[in-house]
């Protein structure tokens, strides 16, 4: 199923993008808006690759942002970035079995 909002998340999640950019500013990574289906933006630094995506609960019309690992090679660096995002930008990961 195609995402009708692909490439159009700039307005809806602008404050989250700014918060993530501010929180991660000293790490030397790259935060970019995405044009892919079901992706708002991505973050990459050596060893870390994350994707930020819209999420809606099963009984909610509200939509919020989540972040997930996208093939990061350094688990330690990824956990550091995730912790920074949770603490300083209020962006949380999805629960996974990894």
């Amino acid at each position: 199923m195609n995402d009708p909002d692909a490439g159009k998340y700039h307005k809806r999640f602008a404050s989250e993008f700014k918060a993530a950019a501010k929180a991660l500013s000293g790490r030397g990574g790259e935060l970019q808006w995405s044009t892919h289906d079901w992706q708002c933006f991505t973050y990459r630094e050596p060893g870390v690759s994350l994707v930020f995506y819209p999420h809606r609960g099963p009984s909610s019309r509200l939509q919020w942002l989540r972040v997930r690992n996208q093939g990061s090679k350094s688990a330690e660096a990824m956990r550091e970035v995730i912790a920074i995002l949770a603490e300083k930008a209020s962006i949380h990961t999805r629960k996974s079995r990894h």
Side-chain angles (χ1 to χ4, degrees), residues 4 28 31 47 53 66 68 77:
L31 191 67
Y53 64 99
R66 281 190 174 173
R68 72 171 182 259

Side-chain angles (χ1 to χ4, degrees), residues 1-10 12-13 33-41 54 63:
M1 180 163 96
N2 289 342
D3 177 8
D5 293 326
K8 300 176 187 173
Y9 289 110
H10 292 77
R12 191 177 316 155
F13 294 106
W33 287 103
S34 178
T35 57
H36 296 291
D37 284 353
W38 310 109
Q39 290 185 7
C40 297
F41 47 92
Q63 201 172 46

Side-chain angles (χ1 to χ4, degrees), residues 51-89:
V51 63
F52 297 76
Y53 64 99
H55 178 75
R56 180 174 298 151
S59 61
S60 175
R61 300 184 100 191
L62 298 175
Q63 201 172 46
W64 60 91
L65 197 65
R66 281 190 174 173
V67 61
R68 72 171 182 259
N69 184 17
Q70 189 76 2
S72 296
K73 303 296 182 199
S74 172
E76 183 178 337
M78 182 201 62
R79 284 191 295 269
E80 289 174 9
V81 171
I82 296 292
I84 291 167
L85 290 168
E87 179 184 339
K88 296 182 178 179

